[in-house]
């Protein structure tokens, strides 16, 4: 921003894509940056445009199906159930879940790094929940590169494409017998539409099915 400010002219537009970062991560405060950028652009007669994104962790933590699948899991832990339900409900209601509530603090007691900030909390909770669904298929969501093409491909990829890379016995034992995903045996479009209608995506002005 400092490097382009001297070059700005009246009528220019500055577009900034801000990831869903914590309020204060290593001294960077997203809200202050947006306010500062807006003021700088106003002085030059330029327009400052900043996006408002949900991170993928919040997207899936708000997804009704993630909650439903975890509640049916025989290895579901009470502390994790309480945290997931609390986060899910707050996201659906548009309220901040990262607070001092018992549900949040009990989960932080299990995962110390989750207490660092909201982003770390969401990541730890989503990994913990989806790891427990692994017996049903490739549902474990992580921040690793290519996660949605490998460990978490069941959420997005066409089921028939996934099965092509599995042994027939695996398909029978995992996909046919164990999988309880509501979008079982469906394609990418159907999976996106379900995420669209049963997560915080439903409140967005831009729907995933438009991609």
């Amino acid at each position: 921003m400092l490097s382009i400010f001297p070059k700005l002219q009246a009528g220019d537009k500055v577009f900034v894509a801000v990831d869903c970062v914590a309020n204060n991560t290593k001294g960077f405060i997203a809200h202050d940056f947006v306010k500062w950028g807006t003021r700088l652009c106003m002085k030059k007669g330029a327009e400052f445009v900043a996006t408002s994104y949900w991170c993928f962790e919040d997207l899936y933590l708000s997804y009704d199906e993630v909650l439903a699948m975890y509640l049916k899991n025989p290895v579901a832990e009470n502390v994790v159930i309480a945290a997931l339900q609390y986060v899910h409900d707050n996201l659906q209601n548009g309220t901040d879940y990262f607070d001092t509530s018992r549900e949040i603090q009990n989960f932080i007691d299990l995962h110390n790094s989750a207490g660092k900030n909201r982003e770390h909390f969401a990541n730890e909770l989503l990994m913990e929940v989806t790891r427990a669904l692994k017996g049903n298929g490739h549902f474990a969501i992580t921040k690793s590169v290519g996660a949605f093409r490998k460990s978490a491909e069941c959420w997005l990829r066409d089921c028939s494409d996934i099965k092509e890379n599995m042994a027939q016995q695996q398909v029978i034992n995992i996909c046919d017998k164990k999988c309880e995903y509501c979008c079982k045996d469906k394609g990418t479009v159907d999976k996106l539409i379900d995420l669209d209608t049963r997560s915080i995506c439903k409140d967005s002005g831009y729907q995933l099915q438009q991609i």
Side-chain angles (χ1 to χ4, degrees):
M1 191 65 188
L2 287 172
S3 66
I4 66 171
F5 178 67
K7 305 172 186 176
L8 288 177
Q9 298 179 13
D12 285 347
K13 179 180 288 188
V14 177
F15 176 83
V16 179
V18 182
D19 188 17
C20 185
V21 296
N23 287 336
N24 191 338
T25 302
K26 294 183 179 178
F28 176 78
I29 303 175
H31 295 143
D32 286 352
F33 174 76
V34 171
K35 287 188 288 185
W36 173 75
T38 301
R39 286 197 297 267
L40 284 182
C41 286
M42 286 178 66
K43 290 179 181 179
K44 288 289 189 92
E47 183 180 359
F48 184 85
V49 180
T51 59
S52 178
Y53 287 132
W54 290 310
C55 62
F56 75 87
E57 291 98 339
D58 280 354
L59 184 66
Y60 278 93
L61 287 171
S62 73
Y63 186 22
D64 293 342
E65 182 62 10
V66 169
L67 176 61
M69 288 185 74
Y70 190 72
L71 289 176
K72 287 186 289 187
N73 198 299
V75 299
E77 298 180 17
N78 290 334
V79 169
V80 181
I81 290 174
L84 177 60
Q85 183 75 65
Y86 185 79
V87 169
H88 173 274
D89 292 348
N90 274 272
L91 285 169
Q92 292 283 4
N93 293 329
T95 51
D96 188 11
Y97 59 79
F98 192 61
D99 53 26
T100 58
S101 65
R102 176 177 50 81
E103 293 87 351
I104 299 299
Q105 296 307 312
N106 285 347
F107 184 80
I108 291 174
D109 288 342
L110 290 179
H111 302 272
N112 290 333
S113 63
K116 187 175 181 180
N117 55 45
R118 173 171 166 160
E119 189 173 19
H120 277 72
F121 183 92
N123 181 52
E124 288 287 350
L125 180 59
L126 186 61
M127 282 198 298
E128 180 69 23
V129 169
T130 56
R131 243 196 317 256
L133 304 178
K134 222 173 175 183
N136 292 336
H138 304 288
F139 290 110
I141 303 178
T142 70
K143 275 188 176 291
S144 61
V145 176
F148 283 98
R149 295 193 304 273
K150 191 176 180 181
S151 65
E153 59 185 350
C154 288
W155 295 114
L156 290 180
R157 288 190 61 201
D158 191 303
C159 288
S160 60
D161 291 340
I162 297 172
K163 291 178 181 180
E164 285 181 1
N165 297 315
M166 298 172 66
Q168 186 57 36
Q169 198 56 46
Q170 285 182 306
V171 172
I172 295 172
N173 292 337
I174 298 175
C175 302
D176 297 341
K177 292 183 179 179
K178 293 182 180 179
C179 184
E180 297 184 355
Y181 185 25
C182 69
C183 291
K184 177 179 179 178
D185 294 326
K186 293 186 178 181
T188 297
V189 174
D190 287 324
K191 291 178 180 181
L192 283 176
I193 290 175
D194 196 65
L195 183 63
D196 244 359
T197 57
R198 301 205 298 144
S199 76
I200 47 178
C201 273
K202 66 180 183 295
D203 299 320
S204 174
Y206 189 86
Q207 300 298 302
L208 287 172
Q209 58 189 295
Q210 294 175 250
I211 297 175

